[in-house]
Amino acid sequence: MKKITLACVMAILCAYNMAFTQSFSYNIAKINFPLYVGDYVNRLQSIGKSVNYVSDTISLNHFKDKLVIVGFWFTHCGACIARFKDEMALQKKYAKDIQLIMVTFEDAPVVKQFIKDWEQKNNTRFTLPVIVADTVLKKAFRSLHNPYYAWLFPTGRLAGLTSPELLTPAAIEAMTTELKSDRKARATFDKEAEEKKKR
């Protein structure tokens, strides 16, 4: 009984959060301050120009039900480059639940050439989308060093800011447990919203 009550309370809280997410979310293109864990990003807006992706820009809404992990890097960061294979392995393993997006301040031609060289050197395809020429996300997510990660739920809520040591299967599984609860609450919320429209 306690578990059912707790699940109901969690679902109500998640639905309440979703109802007000867009009203209280930040347009990261317009803010001049870093966000705190728990703040919301507008998931409909573009978060940057992209390469190695199906469109020229990326928004969180492209990954509706996924935990988005934004990873900061640059092409001369040895520690960042050393993590690519692990990051791609995590993306493949948890493809249903997460989307890793890499972010750099460098321009598209530099990044495209880097990806081409990396693929030749490693004899494998670079599979992660990359946001290029970033001037906004690094500031919004307090990226003090590289590599560095911002974790965002589908609602746009900033769930965490972490060092590379915390990008692990255990951390992803812990976050996706919360993500699954969020999905159930969202389904209930969407159903109720649809029923209200019909009235």
Side-chain angles (χ1 to χ4, degrees):
M1 183 66 175
K2 284 182 180 178
K3 286 184 179 179
I4 293 170
T5 303
L6 181 61
C8 290
V9 170
M10 290 298 292
I12 290 166
L13 288 173
C14 287
Y16 178 83
N17 277 340
M18 284 181 279
F20 292 96
T21 293
Q22 295 311 308
S23 300
F24 296 102
S25 61
Y26 289 103
N27 178 337
I28 55 172
K30 294 183 178 178
I31 63 171
N32 289 313
F33 52 86
L35 298 175
Y36 288 94
V37 170
D39 284 342
Y40 286 84
V41 172
N42 185 322
R43 64 191 178 113
L44 300 176
Q45 73 177 100
S46 168
I47 58 171
K49 296 177 182 176
S50 64
V51 299
N52 212 42
Y53 186 58
V54 294
S55 76
D56 294 335
T57 60
I58 295 178
S59 80
L60 295 179
N61 214 37
H62 293 173
F63 316 105
K64 291 187 179 182
D65 284 334
K66 293 186 179 184
L67 174 70
V68 173
I69 304 171
V70 178
F72 295 91
W73 74 292
F74 59 97
T75 60
H76 295 288
C77 171
C80 306
I81 295 163
R83 294 194 57 82
F84 285 155
K85 287 185 179 179
D86 290 339
E87 289 164 347
M88 289 191 292
L90 287 171
Q91 178 61 61
K92 186 175 181 180
K93 182 175 181 180
Y94 298 102
K96 191 175 95 174
D97 294 316
I98 72 165
Q99 179 60 57
L100 266 157
I101 302 172
M102 308 313 292
V103 179
T104 180
F105 60 86
E106 294 166 303
D107 292 331
V110 172
V111 175
K112 285 178 180 177
Q113 185 61 51
F114 171 85
I115 290 172
K116 184 179 176 183
D117 294 344
W118 187 91
E119 289 178 335
Q120 286 180 338
K121 182 179 178 182
N122 292 278
N123 197 29
T124 190
R125 187 169 168 264
F126 187 89
T127 56
L128 302 172
V130 181
I131 292 176
V132 295
D134 174 62
T135 59
V136 177
L137 296 174
K138 191 172 178 74
K139 186 167 49 176
F141 295 135
R142 279 192 189 87
S143 172
L144 303 176
H145 53 79
N146 291 291
Y148 194 72
Y149 304 90
W151 302 56
L152 293 152
F153 281 117
T155 53
R157 178 165 60 96
L158 179 58
L161 297 164
T162 69
S163 63
E165 293 74 28
L166 290 176
L167 184 64
T168 63
I172 290 170
E173 285 166 19
M175 288 295 236
T176 54
T177 299
E178 187 175 343
L179 178 64
K180 285 166 188 170
S181 298
D182 188 54
R183 284 175 181 159
K184 287 177 186 173
R186 184 189 337 258
T188 302
F189 177 76
D190 288 345
K191 186 178 178 184
E192 288 172 0
E194 196 59 40
E195 285 171 2
K196 282 183 183 177
K197 283 181 187 176
K198 290 176 183 176
R199 292 180 197 157

